[in-house]
Amino acid sequence: MRQHSRPFGTESLRQLLADRLDRALKRINAWNADELLASPEADIIKYLIDEYGAEAPVMHRDQRQRLPSTEHVVPVDDFMGRRDVRQAEITIVVPCEGDMDLMRYRPGSYTSLLSGQSARIVGSEIHVTWRGDTADPAVVLQKINGELDVIERNLGHARSEIASHNELLRQTVPARVSRRKSQLLADRELEAALGIPVRQKDGPPAFSVPVSRRQVMPRRQPGVAEPFRAEWELLDKDYEEAIRVITHSRNALERTPGTIAKLGEEDIRNLLLVSLNSTFMGASGGELFNGDGKTDILIRVEDRNVFIGECKIWDGPQVVGDALTQLLKYHIWRDSKGALLLFIRRGDATNATQKAIQRIEEHPNYKRTLDARPSEGRYDFVIRANDDLEREIHLALLPFVLPIKQGR
């Protein structure tokens, strides 16, 4: 940013913001294909909105300060001839935040600054200087405040244009990213379906099963991403169906407290497996869901786990931390979806659920929280895998409120 520049120059703020949006859309089209396919859409979208969005400048007039006063010499020609007149010079400094570079551009609705006054952008501050020979403080304050009022009015118009730009960016970018990613995936699926090897300079073929994704952070520069390799992944509709079957079974169990109180955790898990296997069947008629140990619920494709469910009895927040540690150990590099089934058999279920959510959000692999659905008894998160910190795992927390038979 140029230092000591005048606010609201001749260049158009509206055109500047339109150019930013255009650059964002061109950036999507120019993004390295392998990197785009390998990155979660949410990360790409956030990067683009942060990079090409705008933070409106805000003045903090309540924090204004005065610089030490100085004298200013002005040459004057009058009936006494040419002479130098010394005038007082008082500068008020107003701190600001936001992108001060945007203050150099003129909004569509604009009011000219007052004549005879001097306003400058200096770093992250606005300096308004008064020069004159009056000794009346009220006059000085009136002129300085008048200039600040005009600046604030122009900033209000600028903030409105910037807010509209940011909203347009939020509406446009996700659809464009999704569309380009879908087009690239369709191209890769077509290439894989041809069954003809891809000519490579060196290394293995670049394409395999064209269904999944792999995350690469947007900060990586185009051209350095590894070739995209599609992977086995549980489709969203199948993942939602698995969660639906589990929650439906949970609701049925919760409605039969007398029966469920007599069952142990392994018995409950086996009931869930029966429900899942009645819905998901392999092509050869074999079971897709298998119990591995006493707590795991798995979907396996070939030799890979694409869905992992971990069952835990609530006994404090540490249980949730232990469950996440286990889940992350089970999740190998192709895994992308899982669920934590939390059996709450004693105490306040609402309080236990809130503490479980807090523990997940405090975990070092936690990335972000998705939509919570308390009415459905479901809470969704995104966490990072252990062996590849750039890979995302979608985790659903499903609390089960199950009584236990006294004396157990």
Side-chain angles (χ1 to χ4, degrees):
M1 186 188 77
R2 296 194 295 265
Q3 297 292 317
H4 306 278
S5 55
R6 292 276 291 174
F8 314 116
T10 58
E11 296 180 79
S12 166
L13 175 63
R14 187 169 299 169
Q15 185 60 51
L16 173 75
L17 297 174
D19 290 344
R20 283 196 182 186
L21 176 61
D22 183 61
R23 291 201 307 273
L25 300 181
K26 288 179 178 177
R27 178 72 179 86
I28 296 170
N29 291 332
W31 205 298
N32 175 270
D34 289 314
E35 184 179 323
L36 186 69
L37 286 171
S39 301
E41 285 188 25
D43 285 355
I44 295 174
I45 291 166
K46 183 179 186 303
Y47 165 78
L48 291 167
I49 290 175
D50 289 346
E51 181 72 13
Y52 297 101
E55 184 182 3
V58 177
M59 285 201 311
H60 296 291
R61 292 178 67 169
D62 58 331
Q63 300 176 25
R64 62 185 179 175
Q65 295 179 321
R66 176 177 57 82
L67 297 181
S69 60
T70 59
E71 284 187 320
H72 181 68
V73 178
V74 179
V76 174
D77 287 315
D78 56 17
F79 67 94
M80 297 177 62
R82 185 175 180 83
R83 57 196 174 90
D84 290 337
V85 176
R86 295 186 177 276
Q87 295 181 337
E89 182 173 285
I90 296 175
T91 298
I92 301 299
V93 176
V94 183
C96 304
E97 62 180 340
D99 186 351
M100 294 296 290
D101 194 44
L102 297 176
M103 198 181 288
R104 295 194 297 106
Y105 294 84
R106 181 173 295 187
S109 297
Y110 169 73
T111 302
S112 298
L113 300 181
L114 303 177
S115 65
Q117 302 304 310
S118 174
R120 295 171 298 154
I121 303 170
V122 182
S124 60
E125 300 172 336
I126 286 289
H127 289 202
V128 176
T129 300
W130 174 88
R131 298 185 183 96
D133 54 7
T134 180
D136 188 346
V139 173
V140 175
L141 282 175
Q142 181 184 21
K143 290 185 177 296
I144 289 175
N145 284 329
E147 188 83 325
L148 291 174
D149 288 342
V150 174
I151 293 173
E152 189 66 70
R153 190 177 309 128
N154 288 329
L155 278 178
H157 296 312
R159 281 194 291 270
S160 178
E161 291 185 17
I162 291 169
S164 297
H165 164 76
N166 289 337
E167 180 59 28
L168 182 59
L169 201 63
R170 286 191 291 268
Q171 291 177 0
T172 306
V173 165
R176 290 294 184 92
V177 171
S178 179
R179 185 169 70 186
R180 178 152 191 251
K181 223 172 176 183
S182 296
Q183 290 171 343
L184 288 172
L185 279 172
D187 292 344
R188 297 298 169 88
E189 289 173 356
L190 174 60
E191 291 171 346
L194 293 175
I196 302 173
V198 178
R199 184 174 183 177
Q200 299 285 326
K201 290 183 179 179
D202 50 48
F207 310 112
S208 55
V209 185
V211 274
S212 186
R213 64 184 183 197
R214 190 175 179 191
Q215 178 185 5
V216 178
M217 292 299 287
R219 64 175 177 271
R220 294 186 180 176
Q221 297 299 314
V224 301
E226 291 295 325
F228 171 76
R229 294 178 182 275
E231 307 156 4
W232 285 117
E233 181 188 37
L234 187 67
L235 296 176
D236 287 342
K237 63 182 181 65
D238 293 328
Y239 176 63
E240 291 300 322
E241 179 63 14
I243 296 296
R244 187 196 69 79
V245 171
I246 292 174
T247 54
H248 180 77
S249 300
R250 175 194 63 188
N251 296 341
L253 291 171
E254 289 179 346
R255 287 193 291 267
T256 57
T259 300
I260 205 64
K262 304 173 184 178
L263 301 178
E265 284 66 47
E266 187 172 357
D267 298 323
I268 297 171
R269 182 189 67 105
N270 289 335
L271 287 175
L272 295 175
L273 289 174
V274 170
S275 298
L276 288 166
N277 282 315
S278 68
T279 302
F280 293 88
M281 299 298 293
S284 63
E287 295 181 346
L288 288 176
F289 287 86
N290 299 278
D292 185 3
K294 290 189 176 182
T295 55
D296 297 336
I297 297 174
L298 305 175
I299 301 178
R300 285 179 174 161
V301 177
E302 296 181 348
D303 62 340
R304 301 294 186 180
N305 303 328
V306 293
F307 175 92
I308 298 176
E310 182 72 12
C311 303
K312 284 292 182 182
I313 307 169
W314 170 255
D315 190 25
Q318 183 58 41
V319 167
V320 177
D322 293 342
L324 283 177
T325 299
Q326 283 185 268
L327 274 170
L328 290 167
K329 285 181 180 178
Y330 293 153
H331 273 278
I332 54 178
W333 65 275
R334 293 184 181 223
D335 302 333
S336 62
K337 293 180 174 66
L340 171 56
L341 283 55
L342 192 61
F343 297 163
I344 304 172
R345 311 210 73 170
R346 294 185 177 88
D348 185 337
T350 300
N351 184 53
T353 300
Q354 291 173 347
K355 289 182 178 179
I357 293 170
Q358 181 179 353
R359 182 64 186 86
I360 292 172
E361 294 178 339
E362 291 172 350
H363 195 276
N365 288 51
Y366 167 81
K367 188 169 183 181
R368 62 181 178 271
T369 299
L370 302 176
D371 293 337
R373 312 180 199 179
S375 62
E376 300 177 19
R378 173 179 175 179
Y379 306 85
D380 290 85
F381 309 88
V382 173
I383 58 177
R384 300 181 188 273
N386 271 338
D387 53 352
D388 183 351
L389 297 182
E390 295 177 340
R391 175 167 295 277
E392 289 185 339
I393 298 172
H394 186 162
L395 175 71
L397 170 65
L398 304 175
F400 284 57
V401 183
L402 305 175
I404 189 170
K405 184 178 181 181
Q406 296 300 318
R408 289 182 67 96

